[in-house]
Amino acid sequence: KDRIIGFFMGSPELVLARCADNVHQYEKELTRMLSQGLRLVGLAMGEFLATKTEFSLQEAQNLSFLALIGMQDSIREDLQKVIDQVKKSGFHLAMITGDHPQTAVYVAKEVGLYKPNDNLMTEADIYRTSKDDFLSLLDSTTVFARITPGTKMDIVSAYQKRGNIVAMTGDGINDVPSILAADIGIAMGQMGTEVTKRAADIVLLDDSLQSIVDGIS
């Protein structure tokens, strides 16, 4: 009665780093699932003294790893055509996501967003790069991965410092800071949370990139 069981969910690398198991046995499966473009979540558990009722993953140690959970997002069939149309119109398009870099690049390649000479940056890459070098890399970067909400807002601000007009789309509460920071904040009307829609300048009724393109045209 003086101990409780806590369950923790988060990015696989963060969860595995706090597990006492031999994590190397999971790395092959992690690589296999990432190669399929899955969004992955790690699940672990731990036993603690019942002196607290809430724990964060950051303060947990010596956990027991339970599972890797993979999710596949559906991709609209017409998305690649729309992305090509956006690029030909002279706009720079970039994906900013909290997902693993391999998952992000897989999806970006599938829709024609990420090309062989394009640049990928993680949050760690951004903070290892000088401000001037980061600004110079924005034109060639089409995928930002493992990005937290605060850094997503910093990316928007960086584009604005270069004189770009920035439109930011999103559907979750984590997107609200960057939607507010953008020149044009766009929320998904079908999938978007109520707080995201309230923060946005524009709400898409059909959650389609084509509607943004049509609006620009």
Side-chain angles (χ1 to χ4, degrees):
K1 65 180 180 180
D2 59 341
R3 302 186 73 81
I4 60 173
I5 302 295
F7 292 89
F8 299 86
M9 184 178 292
S11 66
E13 56 267 38
L14 189 61
V15 173
L16 286 169
R18 286 162 173 75
C19 290
D21 313 56
N22 178 11
V23 297
H24 297 295
Q25 62 184 309
Y26 304 110
E27 290 179 351
K28 183 177 180 180
E29 185 62 19
L30 177 62
T31 300
R32 184 189 70 80
M33 295 176 77
L34 286 171
S35 69
Q36 297 175 344
L38 297 175
R39 300 176 66 187
L40 298 182
V41 173
L43 180 63
M45 63 175 288
E47 191 172 313
F48 305 91
L49 291 174
T51 55
K52 294 179 65 175
T53 57
E54 294 183 3
F55 297 88
S56 69
L57 183 57
Q58 284 71 23
E59 62 184 306
Q61 298 292 336
N62 299 318
L63 301 177
S64 297
F65 190 74
L66 297 178
L68 282 171
I69 303 169
M71 297 162 282
Q72 184 103 56
D73 286 334
S74 59
I75 299 174
R76 290 175 180 257
E77 293 182 0
D78 63 339
L79 190 54
Q80 184 166 352
K81 179 181 177 181
V82 178
I83 287 175
D84 287 342
Q85 184 180 348
V86 172
K87 288 183 175 182
K88 288 177 182 177
S89 298
F91 296 94
H92 177 70
L93 195 61
M95 172 195 294
I96 309 176
T97 178
D99 288 338
H100 191 283
Q102 284 182 248
T103 301
V105 168
Y106 178 94
V107 174
K109 284 181 177 178
E110 286 290 300
V111 299
L113 175 61
Y114 185 86
K115 302 296 184 182
N117 293 325
D118 287 351
N119 190 42
L120 158 73
M121 295 193 80
T122 64
E123 185 165 292
D125 294 329
I126 292 172
Y127 290 110
R128 280 196 298 262
T129 306
S130 70
K131 290 183 179 179
D132 288 341
D133 287 344
F134 177 52
L135 291 176
S136 69
L137 289 170
L138 290 176
D139 279 338
S140 61
T141 303
T142 52
V143 177
F144 296 91
R146 279 292 186 250
I147 302 296
T148 57
T151 302
K152 189 180 292 188
M153 187 169 59
D154 292 340
I155 294 169
V156 170
S157 298
Y159 278 110
Q160 291 170 328
K161 286 178 183 177
R162 298 175 71 252
N164 299 123
I165 296 174
V166 181
M168 179 71 195
T169 65
D171 58 14
I173 191 169
N174 289 342
D175 297 314
V176 169
S178 53
I179 283 178
L180 288 170
D183 298 288
I184 307 169
I186 305 172
M188 302 299 180
Q190 296 179 346
M191 295 178 59
T193 61
E194 190 61 33
V195 67
T196 310
K197 288 185 277 189
R198 288 179 180 272
D201 302 297
I202 298 171
V203 178
L204 297 177
L205 299 181
D206 59 0
D207 290 4
S208 173
L209 180 61
Q210 182 66 60
S211 293
I212 299 176
V213 176
D214 292 342
I216 296 171
S217 303

